Amino acid sequence: MSKNKQNKENTNLLDTNRKINPLKDSLRIAIWYSIFGLLWITISDFLLYWLVSDNDLELRIATAKGWLFVILTVVFIFLTVRRRIDIIKDFVDKMILTKKVLSSTEEELLIQKAITEEIIGKAPVIIIIWDQNGELKSVNPYAFEVLGYKDDLQFYSNWQDFITTSDNIANLSQVFKRLQVEGRLVNYETELITKSGSKVYVIWNSGILDRKDSGNTEYVSFGVDITERRNAENTLKGIAYTDTLTGLPNRVALENEVKRRLAKIESKFALLYLDLDNFKYVNDSLGHHVGDELLKYLANCISKVIKSKDYVARLGGDEFAIIIGNYTKKDQVFDLIDKIKQEAGKTWYIYNHSFYISLSIGVALYPDNGTEVNLLSKNADIAMYSSKSEGKDRIMFFEETIEQNNLYHIEMAKKLQNAIESSEFELYYQPIFTLADNTIHGFEALLRWNEVSRGFISPAEFIPLAENTGQIYAIERWVFQSALSQKKAWNANGFNDITLSINLSSKTLISDVSFAIIESYLKEFNDDLSTVVVEITETALITDMHKVIMRVEKLKELGVKIALDDFGTGYSSLTHIKLLPVDIVKLDRSFISQVENKGKDEMIVSSVIELVKKLDHQLVAEGIETQDQYDYLVNNKVELGQGFLMSKPIPIQSVNLLLEKMRQPSNEKRDD
Ligand code: C2E
Ligand code: MG
Ligand code: MG
């Protein structure tokens, strides 16, 4: 029997239409009986007296009347009492049935209560009941277990203070409000603090509790502890958004942060891209573990300097990005960069090596240089590359002109392509002198580009561009072919002793294909290569040290001499001279110009000269412009030198004339 049906019957049993009122009913029976008795006696006696005159008959009728009275009253009593007893019996039967039903319902309720208590007590779900004032009414044991409280009383008063962070209190009061308005809230997450101070994450479903007995509105919340899942998610998130080496946010996290700031329509902010200058050099020369240490060191320097409204991320490799929040003046950006440079610019010591860290920095400003993440990043990147190509170790703010500059470079690259195809190049030669007697020792081949519309363009301008675009390979192949055929012609003319120096860019030196081609040109030269000098720079070492050393050795095996060009600039170090099997060291013009400064500068120059000589390398002084410099070099026994003082680079016709002139005195001598 279903419960509903049973309950319905129970109510029928207690139907009140057939009620018994003991006093009223007894009175009613007594009154009816008295009236009937009185009427019977009075009327029957009167009729008997009036109708019957025979005494004997009257006595017999009186007796029969008495019997009739008894019969009638018996029938009356039977009928009235029977009806009542029927009702009473009915009621008692129903009572018995009701009792049975009630006791089975009670039994069922007890079972259900036990089940409910079992669920509330043992279910791994937080169940709390609270009222509209946020006061806790009931908390199940699992909630205490999760939160680490043992039914402590303190938990009940100001419970929010115990289990919520200050951030979360606002969130929680929002939840209360929404629940009061909407009556039901599903799947919302909150962060709670346990008694021991750790965090737990709980997902809630709440609703209004329908309790007619209580005047207050009460709410019930069911919470599931999702801390483990959340922690796993956070770990995954951490991996997805963190750079594992430095622990800083990564590129994805940075983009999100920029988007977040853009969405908030935050007042101005600056996006900085930082690139560590010559990082590859550190990596290649000292190994990746040192490179990693350097990146961590830099990450630490930046983190120390930036403020809470700022943000730092590692984009990958040696690139970092910083967001400077809420700046009002460009000066603030400069100040921060200055602090970073001061912090990072201190000499960095590791494994007995010391480094000076320099940074190329590009800045894009919001909103001036873009109002969306891609444009801002692109512009910060353009500015950073521009600061690199301008010579590194500098800050560049994005400007339209940088972009125009890029367009200019694209235009130049096109023209350069044309120049390669239509032979707009020419080689000039700068004589290298034996300083002691001012005689010509050899020549350095220097490239000249005679561009149709602009005239001569300096190699200092187009070679770095050609290196960036890869056009250097074709150019350098042309240079080697032309210079070597020139040298062949000199040899054929008896100028075998005249050396020819050819510059080889680090790009070609480390390129597998182009290097093999240059190598094949040298092999095909088929003549004495001992008076051919290949000039390389230290920048090659920064790119790929091991490869460079291998390649230099290969060139030497072919018979050419190797010169280390521009020594005294950039990353000059005596270690490089030691590492590279060079024959000649060319002292850079900037180095030579210091000899006129008396004191420390001059002392450094003289000791470097001494050292290089001791290492058994031939020395060439570059960029000699004054007689004083010349004299100094002669006095310090520098063997060779080139410079405007003696001769600028000259075209081949002038070289040939010079060589012929050189021959003449000896011819004249022979003639004598
Ligand atoms: P570099 O190899 O160090 O060449 C010497 C540069 O110094 C030349 O500049 C030369 O004209 C200049 N110079 C020589 N003496 C003096 C002087 O007394 N005073 C001053 N102010 N300058 C002097 P140039 O020809 O403009 O070449 C610049 C650089 O371009 C070269 O420096 C070299 O690194 C590069 N370069 C030139 N030709 C080639 C080439 O064929 N291949 C490669 N890879 N690089 C080249
Ligand atoms: Mg050179
Ligand atoms: Mg040089």
Side-chain angles (χ1 to χ4, degrees), residues 444 503 535 537 565-567 586-589 622 642:
E444 178 180 2
N503 292 288
E535 294 190 4
T537 59
D565 204 355
D566 301 341
F567 186 77
K586 295 188 81 173
L587 297 175
D588 190 70
R589 187 164 65 90
E622 292 187 284
Q642 62 188 103

Side-chain angles (χ1 to χ4, degrees), residues 417-436:
Q417 196 55 37
N418 202 36
I420 295 166
E421 284 156 17
S422 53
S423 315
E424 287 174 13
F425 293 117
E426 193 181 336
L427 282 181
Y428 268 46
Y429 298 86
Q430 186 177 34
I432 298 170
F433 291 86
T434 307
L435 294 177

Side-chain angles (χ1 to χ4, degrees), residues 427 430 444-448 458-460 463 467 472 476 479 502-505 535 537 565-566 586 588-589 622-625 642-645 647 649:
L427 282 181
Q430 186 177 34
E444 178 180 2
L446 292 162
L447 188 59
R448 296 291 175 262
S458 160
I463 285 193
E467 284 182 335
I472 190 73
E476 225 143 47
V479 169
I502 314 170
N503 292 288
L504 182 68
S505 93
E535 294 190 4
T537 59
D565 204 355
D566 301 341
K586 295 188 81 173
D588 190 70
R589 187 164 65 90
E622 292 187 284
I624 306 167
E625 288 181 337
Q642 62 188 103
F644 291 174
L645 179 70
S647 170

Side-chain angles (χ1 to χ4, degrees), residues 242-250 292 294-300 303 313-315 317 320:
T242 311
D243 168 54
T244 38
L245 177 71
T246 59
L248 292 179
N250 62 11
D292 286 353
L294 177 57
L295 291 173
K296 282 197 254 178
Y297 169 76
L298 183 61
N300 198 30
S303 305
R314 180 177 167 224
L315 303 178
F320 291 79

Side-chain angles (χ1 to χ4, degrees), residues 30-75:
I31 289 166
W32 276 115
Y33 183 74
S34 315
I35 292 169
F36 177 73
L38 266 173
L39 284 175
W40 180 268
I41 292 166
T42 317
I43 293 170
S44 65
D45 280 356
F46 172 73
L47 284 175
L48 196 63
Y49 174 75
W50 191 60
L51 291 174
V52 182
S53 48
D54 181 358
N55 278 349
D56 198 31
L57 183 65
E58 191 184 335
L59 192 66
R60 269 187 278 139
I61 289 174
T63 308
K65 182 173 73 88
W67 279 110
L68 187 63
F69 180 78
V70 170
I71 289 163
L72 284 175
T73 51
V74 164
V75 169

